[in-house]
Amino acid sequence: MASDETPEEVPPGTVGSGENACRKCEGTGKVDGKDCPDCGGTGVVTTPIGGA
């Protein structure tokens, strides 16, 4: 796994999680002019918050 992927991403609605900037596209939603494959072009991913 590359260091720019978001390995801690969890399904939306997971208790103790929230939106965070996508590491792969740095929150822009684009990679090489296309929608980011990790966030689907939104620029955000759902991750655990505060080490919960």
Side-chain angles (χ1 to χ4, degrees):
M1 182 178 322
S3 62
D4 60 354
E5 292 179 352
T6 309
E8 68 275 6
E9 186 173 4
V10 296
T14 300
V15 175
S17 67
E19 289 186 344
N20 199 357
C22 177
R23 290 183 182 180
K24 187 167 192 90
C25 67
E26 299 177 347
T28 66
K30 298 288 183 185
V31 174
D32 297 326
K34 300 177 183 172
D35 284 349
C36 175
D38 283 7
C39 67
T42 65
V44 296
V45 292
T46 304
T47 59
I49 295 176

